[in-house]
Amino acid sequence: MSESEEYRNPIPTVDIIIETAEGIILIERKNPPLGWAIPGGFVDYGESLEQAAMREAREETGLDVTLLEQFHTYSDPDRDPRQHTITTVYIAMAHGVPEAGDDAKNLALFRKESLPSPIAFDHDKILAHYFKFRAGKGRIEIFP
Amino acid sequence: MSESEEYRNPIPTVDIIIETAEGIILIERKNPPLGWAIPGGFVDYGESLEQAAMREAREETGLDVTLLEQFHTYSDPDRDPRQHTITTVYIAMAHGVPEAGDDAKNLALFRKESLPSPIAFDHDKILAHYFKFRAGKGRIEIFP
């Protein structure tokens, strides 16, 4: 292991499940891995997770969101095929009409019964946990 | 901002609140910032947060812990005076007699009423949230 690898760390990210009157917002990715994804992105140095979540939501959907809850932090080394990222997932709410940001091909609203396919990363698992949580079935099993 | 700073990320860490029959384990730090702290450390690239939590608990207390719950992820840029770290805090349980690892001056067991002082980092806040949670007063207020 080289010296630079020795100090390599997983990269912190955030994802934001944005609830609107018409469903949750998902984004169709323009770049690999292709598919639909929860809006999110990298956390900047000096920025809290909450600041990053609000910033990324705005950049990717054009909406100012209200954070409701920190849901869970996912860290499986294989969850992103490009590199090891750790994501802290927030639940948020927003009003208004979302518009896709520059790095999205498309953006749409979905209900549990009408999720698109394919879903990128481990976001299918995250969304399954989220809908279970919202159905009042408690927090997720964290050591699957 | 130089190119290297531009891509600087906060560093992911874990902390583990280890419950034993005699109380929770805290460690007295040998290096600055001095004081008592929840056992924890850096997450390695390619390692999940859960793996890191079990490894760090073993290295710092000599105990094999059972993880009970992912509690919360804290990310205030000022929480560690040395650099911007993000910590995901786990609640775990363990049996046996803990022994301080190499980078600890001391190790002891504490109850809510008998916490030591000073407590390093933002661990006083984390412990206050933890004892509130264990008292059945719900999850913490995440946007203080």
Side-chain angles (χ1 to χ4, degrees):
Chain A
M1 187 181 278
S2 78
E3 196 163 312
S4 66
E5 281 172 333
E6 198 174 348
Y7 294 99
R8 198 174 169 198
N9 302 106
I11 309 293
T13 69
V14 288
D15 288 296
I16 315 98
I17 299 174
I18 306 170
E19 301 177 338
T20 78
E22 286 79 35
I24 63 162
I25 303 175
L26 297 179
I27 280 171
E28 190 174 12
R29 292 174 52 79
K30 209 185 255 179
N31 302 307
L34 297 176
W36 291 82
I38 303 165
F42 295 104
V43 181
D44 291 337
Y45 192 91
E47 179 185 54
S48 71
L49 290 168
E50 290 78 21
Q51 291 168 330
M54 290 187 288
R55 177 182 55 73
E56 284 289 345
R58 195 181 312 112
E59 287 175 10
E60 301 217 332
T61 72
L63 297 179
D64 287 320
V65 304
T66 301
L67 298 181
L68 300 176
E69 178 139 16
Q70 187 190 98
F71 183 51
H72 193 74
T73 301
Y74 295 82
S75 61
D76 185 330
D78 299 322
R79 59 177 301 281
D80 185 328
R82 301 165 301 180
Q83 62 181 339
H84 184 190
T85 62
I86 296 177
T87 187
T88 300
V89 178
Y90 285 85
I91 302 173
M93 60 170 292
H95 301 288
V97 179
E99 286 183 25
D102 282 348
D103 53 354
K105 198 161 80 178
N106 200 355
L107 172 156
L109 297 161
F110 297 95
R111 305 276 183 197
K112 185 187 174 186
E113 319 60 61
S114 64
L115 290 174
S117 177
I119 292 182
F121 309 112
D122 59 351
H123 289 190
D124 51 349
K125 183 171 87 173
I126 294 173
L127 289 171
H129 290 164
Y130 161 75
F131 284 115
K132 185 179 159 213
F133 175 68
R134 271 296 183 236
K137 292 180 187 158
R139 290 202 163 252
I140 60 187
E141 184 190 338
I142 59 169
F143 310 114
Chain B
M1 185 181 277
S2 78
E3 197 164 311
S4 65
E5 282 172 333
E6 198 175 347
Y7 294 98
R8 198 173 169 198
N9 301 107
I11 310 293
T13 69
V14 287
D15 288 297
I16 316 97
I17 299 174
I18 305 172
E19 301 177 338
T20 77
E22 287 78 34
I24 63 162
I25 303 175
L26 296 180
I27 281 172
E28 192 174 10
R29 292 173 52 79
K30 209 185 254 176
N31 301 308
L34 296 175
W36 292 82
I38 304 166
F42 295 104
V43 181
D44 291 337
Y45 192 91
E47 178 185 54
S48 72
L49 290 168
E50 290 79 22
Q51 291 169 330
M54 291 187 287
R55 176 182 55 72
E56 284 289 343
R58 194 180 313 113
E59 287 175 8
E60 301 217 332
T61 71
L63 298 179
D64 287 320
V65 303
T66 302
L67 298 181
L68 301 176
E69 178 137 18
Q70 187 190 98
F71 183 52
H72 193 73
T73 300
Y74 294 83
S75 62
D76 185 329
D78 298 322
R79 58 178 302 281
D80 184 327
R82 301 166 300 180
Q83 61 181 338
H84 185 191
T85 62
I86 296 177
T87 187
T88 300
V89 178
Y90 286 85
I91 302 173
M93 58 170 293
H95 302 288
V97 179
E99 287 182 23
D102 282 348
D103 53 353
K105 197 161 80 178
N106 200 357
L107 171 154
L109 297 160
F110 297 95
R111 305 275 184 197
K112 184 187 175 188
E113 321 57 63
S114 64
L115 290 175
S117 175
I119 292 182
F121 309 113
D122 58 350
H123 289 191
D124 52 348
K125 182 171 88 173
I126 294 173
L127 289 171
H129 290 164
Y130 160 76
F131 285 115
K132 187 179 157 210
F133 174 67
R134 272 296 183 237
K137 292 181 186 158
R139 292 204 163 251
I140 62 190
E141 184 189 335
I142 58 168
F143 309 112

